[in-house]
Amino acid sequence: DTAVSQTPKYLVTQMGNDKSIKCEQNLGHDTMYWYKQDSKKFLKIMFSYNNKELIINETVPNRFSPKSPDKAHLNLHINSLELGDSAVYFCASSQDWTRVDSQNIQYFGAGTRLSVL
Amino acid sequence: GEDVEQSLFLSVREGDSSVINCTYTDSSSTYLYWYKQEPGAGLQLLTYIFSNMDMKQDQRLTVLLNKKDKHLSLRIADTQTGDSAIYFCAESPSPFDNYGQNFVFGPGTRLSVLP
């Protein structure tokens, strides 16, 4: 069984559209994250939720809005898509981000490749 | 802010050892990680080391940490073509010292294994 699953795997859309990427983890973890990997393969954290509460909100345009209906899900909604939003978006989860031990290890999904035309 | 640096490319011959280096700036880093990303795939955790350790070995992988110089390395023994991938170094500050801080990734080292 996939531990952290993202859907869709590929997303091709036009500028100006609104789209969502879903993420689900079946590991029973408390903390979930969204990362953006750009064309140069740099990974930047965007958001993090712990037990459905937002704990990290990096400098990301307001067009990006995360939603956590329960602690096993963290979805990313993007409004008015722009060309620069094209990237691979990774979801991740960890047991407890406050722990200083193996409980803080992050497990990643396979990524969603977003192409904005 | 925190920064993690890696050389971007490394080529080795099959059977040789690969050494991927990483430097970081945050002295409060608690965990240091190595992730592997194969083409079109997600990030796979290879290994991690706690900041009070100098070395960790796991089969063909050896991680060395020089905390004084803030230098981390990953050695892959007997490198195979299947090891060709991008290797990301990442660090995680202590959550108790840096509320709201989280993982910082390096740019990734592209390892090419030549037959």
Side-chain angles (χ1 to χ4, degrees), chain A:
Chain A
D1 286 340
T2 304
V4 182
S5 59
Q6 299 177 226
T7 54
K9 193 170 182 179
Y10 300 97
L11 183 54
V12 181
T13 188
Q14 289 191 321
M15 249 181 6
N17 284 349
D18 302 336
K19 291 292 178 186
S20 292
I21 307 172
K22 295 185 177 181
C23 179
E24 176 183 3
Q25 52 95 4
N26 62 5
L27 298 167
H29 287 170
D30 288 341
T31 312
M32 295 185 72
Y33 313 81
W34 275 110
Y35 289 86
K36 180 181 179 182
Q37 184 183 40
D38 62 21
S39 58
K40 295 181 182 176
K41 304 298 184 183
F42 286 86
L43 271 164
K44 296 287 185 184
I45 191 163
M46 300 172 68
F47 303 102
S48 179
Y49 271 71
N50 188 66
N51 274 320
K52 301 193 295 175
E53 289 190 17
L54 181 66
I55 56 172
I56 294 174
N57 186 1
E58 291 296 307
T59 307
V60 176
N62 291 337
R63 300 180 293 103
F64 289 79
S65 54
K67 285 188 172 50
S68 183
D70 54 63
K71 74 175 192 178
H73 295 84
L74 181 61
N75 303 324
L76 183 65
H77 188 76
I78 315 169
N79 288 329
S80 302
L81 278 155
E82 299 178 358
L83 294 176
D85 297 332
S86 295
V88 180
Y89 292 84
F90 283 98
C91 176
S93 74
S94 66
Q95 176 60 46
D96 182 352
W97 77 285
T98 64
R99 293 277 295 269
V100 188
D101 56 25
S102 62
Q103 301 292 310
N104 194 24
I105 299 297
Q106 293 191 14
Y107 295 84
F108 284 82
T112 295
R113 188 174 300 275
L114 172 64
S115 297
V116 182
L117 308 177

